[in-house]
Every structure is written in structure tokens, then in C-alpha cells.
Amino acid sequence: MILGAARGRMGIGPLKYPFAFVVAVLAVGFCAALALPATESPLSKLWLGLPARAAIVIYGIGLLPIIVLPVAYALTFETQTLSAEDVERVRELARDSRVRSQDQTS
């Protein structure tokens, strides 16, 4: 995610906070699921219909990042997407690359 969001010298910009949150949620969630004792039984308390470990994995590790990241991308869309100048620079680089490759094959 971080490599995909990085933009040159700007890095990931304001997305560093949501990414740090997601990394923390994943680390804490996996550690919590692994640290819980293996005492599940038919009488175990359920968290939203699931045993504790499964609830942590599904709701914490699975759903929480799915909610946070799209909101973060939506809020930073204008600053994180390519500008018209960036698109034109990429097109110019593509043209230069095509010209160089045609010159080398001729």
C-alpha cells in the first residue's frame, strides 16, 4: 500500500497516519489473536457471533482497514492523484522512450 501511494519526493504525504493506524491494527490484532488462550468451547462467550480469536481476525484485521483506507484515500484524492502536469510529463517520457527505442532498432 505504501509503495503504491508514494509520490516521488512527497512520499505518502497525509496518508502516513491512516497507514500507521492500519499497521498498528494489524500488529495488535494478530498479536492479540495469538496471545489468547485456546479455551474455546461451546460455552465460550461470543463477540458478535464469533469466538474471540475469530472476531479479532475478522472484525479487527479484516474489516477495520477496509473501512479506514477508502475513507483516507477519498479525503486525500485531490492531493495524491496525478495533476495535469504530471500526466503530460509521463506522456513526454513515453514519447522520448519510443523515439529512443526506434532509433536503437534502426
Side-chain angles (χ1 to χ4, degrees), residues 48-60:
L48 298 173
L50 293 172
R53 286 184 193 188
I56 290 170
V57 171
I58 298 294
Y59 302 132

Side-chain angles (χ1 to χ4, degrees), residues 18-42:
F19 285 160
F21 173 76
V22 169
V23 169
V25 165
L26 293 177
V28 169
F30 279 122
C31 289
L34 291 173
L36 286 175
T39 58
E40 282 92 11
S41 70

